[in-house]
Amino acid sequence: PVDRAIDELVHRIFDLIQSHDAGQETDAAIELSGDGYLRIGANDAAKYFPDDVLVAMWRDDQLRLLPTRGAGAGGLLLKRRNAAGDRSLLISEVFEFQMPTGTFHGRWDESTGALVFDLKATSCHGNQT
């Protein structure tokens, strides 16, 4: 099992190096719904939040989602919302202001260890797609 895990790790590292060298930006998408939910697809949730727990921060007109290591570390629990494994959480409980609604694309910021979504150019009343 250790040999298989090491092989998998080596393949993942090579994939990361190749995507970085090719200039590909790591990308993920979330949906912010009018009823206060953050929704994230199963693949993005598994890639960035493997323990289904995160901390949400609002900073410099950006939503930053930071993974934590298990429920014991604290944070917001991503709940499965359908059979496909998509996840959601009630983000409106975290922030005291109305979040913009729509689908947003973000990037992984290695320096802060967070998935970052730039929301400053959006209106709190309009949709962003």
Side-chain angles (χ1 to χ4, degrees), residues 52-55 66-77:
D52 288 335
V53 184
L54 61 87
V55 172
L66 296 90
T68 63
R69 296 193 186 264
L76 304 168
L77 181 63

Side-chain angles (χ1 to χ4, degrees), residues 80-111:
R80 289 184 187 263
R81 63 182 292 254
N82 58 28
D86 297 335
R87 312 290 200 284
S88 68
L89 65 88
L90 188 58
I91 195 84
S92 63
E93 292 182 328
V94 177
F95 301 108
E96 296 179 1
F97 57 89
Q98 183 177 352
M99 300 286 291
T101 60
T103 300
F104 302 90
H105 296 274
R107 70 191 186 313
W108 180 256
D109 181 357
E110 193 66 41
S111 66

Side-chain angles (χ1 to χ4, degrees), residues 1-14:
V2 172
D3 286 338
R4 279 185 268 137
I6 290 172
D7 287 343
E8 183 178 335
L9 179 61
V10 168
H11 288 295
R12 286 184 184 181
I13 291 171
F14 280 126

Side-chain angles (χ1 to χ4, degrees), residues 33-90:
S33 69
D35 56 356
Y37 280 88
L38 178 148
R39 298 181 178 122
I40 185 167
N43 291 337
D44 288 339
K47 181 175 182 178
Y48 296 105
F49 312 104
D51 292 325
D52 288 335
V53 184
L54 61 87
V55 172
M57 294 174 43
W58 185 265
R59 187 176 188 187
D60 301 327
D61 293 322
Q62 294 177 328
L63 175 63
R64 296 170 185 253
L65 304 176
L66 296 90
T68 63
R69 296 193 186 264
L76 304 168
L77 181 63
L78 288 168
K79 299 174 184 167
R80 289 184 187 263
R81 63 182 292 254
N82 58 28
D86 297 335
R87 312 290 200 284
S88 68
L89 65 88
L90 188 58

